[in-house]
Structure formats: structure tokens, C-alpha cells
Amino acid sequence: MLAKRIVPCLDVKDGTTVKGVNFVNFRDAGDPVELGAEYSRQGADELVYLDITASHEGRKTFTELVKKVAANINIPFTVGGGINEMSDVERLLNAGADKISVNSAAIRRPELIDEIARNFGSQVCVTAIDARMEDGEWICYLNGGRISSGRKLFEWAAEAEERGAGEILFTSMNHDGVKDGYANEALSTLAGVLHIPVIASGGAGKKEDFRDVFIHGKADAALAASVFHFGEIKISELKQYLRNENVNVR
């Protein structure tokens, strides 16, 4: 079994790291470059940087910040937010990003996934999906959770894989920032539908939540933000706990 990954996520707004609950009510969590360097030192496997208002505000993602991150950390990192075309992908990879995360633009124009995979390889393309449980169905949302796309989670994830996505990053909007555990049932279903890695996002509050998302949710990687940003869980301690629980981590 492949080793499970621990992935801190840094939501960036106006140049600073922020964290919200259910995609609203953001509070400041510190400098994104310094935080990333600290997580790298603590033993994080990868990082994700999301420019969370880029799609909504119609901006291009933060190239200068990506250059600074690349100069200061030595683990792979993914960049997302406001990536709509191949020139955006090229710009961010040239700035030092290892992978690109597409979300709203890919739902609007699914061919974007094919283009990224064809030009740069599937390993570069992470398809992020923000979904909310509504009347018994997981529905995908656009623009940082502001607009319903009407697309269903499992169908869209399968299409993204078919088009060449290398990983699916699924955030449960219902669980985001609530710290009550991940959406393990939906994650387990995704793991059964897909043949590519699934990154779980939304709901980490305690070490047990990470254990459960790997064992019950069958996730390949667990992404979290506030528990790391505000010092509630140290990555090195989390990995030791998971090893004790017989979860294979790096």
C-alpha cells in the first residue's frame, strides 16, 4: 500500500493565509511563505496553495508568491485559483509550482483537463472539487463555493479522471472548518469509483479524524488547514500517532 500523505493547505487572500468555516468567516493565519517553510520542516509531504478569491474576482493567481514559496521550501506544492488557460499553467509551473489545481474553470470547460494532461502530464493536473450534500446528492460548486454547477460529484470526478486528471482533491463544503471529521462515506465511494489518488479535504479537528479518513474514507492523502495553522496538531506528532494506529505514512 502506498504511504499516505499529510498535506497542509494554505488559503491565500490578499497575500496572507486565511482560514474560514464552511467557506466564509475568514480569519488571518499568517505569512504563507513562512508557514510553508515551517510545515516543510515539520515533515509535511506536500503543500497546497489556493488563491481563494481569484476565480470570483477574475484575477490571475499570485505568480510572485509562488516564486517565493519555491525558493523557501523543498517539498512538492500545488497551486490553484483562477487558472483558466494553458498560459496560466505554464506561468505557475515556470514560477516553481509542481502541480496545478483546477476547479471552476474545469467544470465550465472540461477540455482544460485534457489540455493540461496532454501538454504537461497527468501528474501535474489536480482536479479540485468543492461539493455540498443537498437532498441526498453531492453537488459540485464553482467560484469558491458560491455558485452551484448542478454537476454531481461522482460523475464529475469520473469524467475528470477520464480526461487525464492525476488526482482528485475533494472538499466537503458541509465539513469545511467544522472540525468534526471528514466526509468519509463520500470519500470511500470516490475511492471505489476512481483509479487515481483521492485527497480528502474539509473536517480535520483531531488526530483520530486523520486515522479515520485513511482507514474508513480510503483517502490517499489528507489535507487540513486550521489544525496546523493554529498549532492544534503538530505534523510530526500526527505522523507518529498514525504509525501507532498502523497507518502507513511517509
Side-chain angles (χ1 to χ4, degrees):
M1 186 176 70
L2 284 175
K4 306 294 190 181
R5 290 171 282 151
I6 301 296
V7 186
C9 180
L10 297 95
D11 291 343
V12 179
K13 186 174 190 280
D14 306 324
T16 191
T17 311
V18 296
K19 184 59 198 135
V21 176
N22 301 129
F23 282 47
V24 291
N25 302 329
F26 294 103
R27 59 176 173 148
D28 189 342
D31 180 88
V33 180
E34 286 171 17
L35 272 175
E38 176 56 28
Y39 295 146
S40 179
R41 283 191 292 273
Q42 281 187 30
D45 298 301
E46 295 181 24
L47 298 173
V48 172
Y49 283 89
L50 298 176
D51 188 346
I52 57 168
T53 54
S55 290
H56 179 59
E57 295 171 2
R59 283 183 299 102
K60 295 300 183 192
T61 308
F62 38 17
T63 316
E64 290 311 308
L65 177 66
V66 172
K67 287 180 182 167
K68 283 185 196 157
V69 171
N72 283 279
I73 69 165
N74 55 8
I75 55 174
F77 70 100
T78 301
V79 175
I83 296 167
N84 299 300
E85 55 201 18
M86 294 307 290
S87 60
D88 297 331
V89 178
E90 204 156 344
R91 176 168 50 82
L92 293 163
L93 291 175
N94 287 339
D98 297 278
K99 302 178 197 176
I100 298 303
S101 167
V102 288
N103 188 336
S104 304
I107 291 184
R108 290 199 178 95
R109 193 174 72 82
E111 296 76 23
L112 180 62
I113 298 172
D114 304 70
E115 292 164 9
I116 296 171
R118 192 166 56 242
N119 285 277
F120 300 104
S122 286
Q123 79 285 352
V124 161
C125 185
V126 178
T127 299
I129 304 176
D130 300 329
R132 189 197 295 278
M133 171 64 87
E134 294 173 357
D135 301 323
E137 288 271 16
W138 285 96
I139 303 298
C140 304
Y141 271 70
L142 304 162
N143 288 34
R146 291 174 179 83
I147 303 166
S148 172
S149 72
R151 297 283 324 245
K152 292 175 182 171
L153 168 64
F154 304 117
E155 289 169 15
W156 169 231
E159 181 182 332
E161 175 181 32
E162 208 169 286
R163 288 181 176 276
E167 293 179 281
I168 298 294
L169 165 52
F170 162 52
T171 301
S172 162
M173 294 174 62
N174 306 71
H175 295 71
D176 176 67
V178 180
K179 300 188 177 180
D180 205 15
Y182 292 88
N184 291 327
E185 201 175 315
L187 285 159
S188 176
T189 303
L190 267 181
V193 169
L194 304 173
H195 308 91
I196 55 176
V198 175
I199 306 166
S201 168
K206 54 190 184 298
K207 293 173 187 171
E208 290 80 1
D209 296 334
F210 290 89
R211 175 198 64 197
D212 292 347
V213 79
F214 292 136
I215 292 172
H216 304 302
K218 300 182 171 60
D220 298 278
L223 182 141
S226 55
V227 291
F228 298 142
H229 298 342
F230 303 116
E232 294 160 42
I233 296 177
K234 288 271 186 282
I235 294 168
S236 54
E237 291 170 14
L238 172 61
K239 286 193 163 185
Q240 192 51 58
Y241 164 80
L242 290 169
R243 287 186 198 104
N244 294 342
E245 294 288 322
N246 297 316
V247 175
N248 180 22
V249 290
R250 294 183 181 183

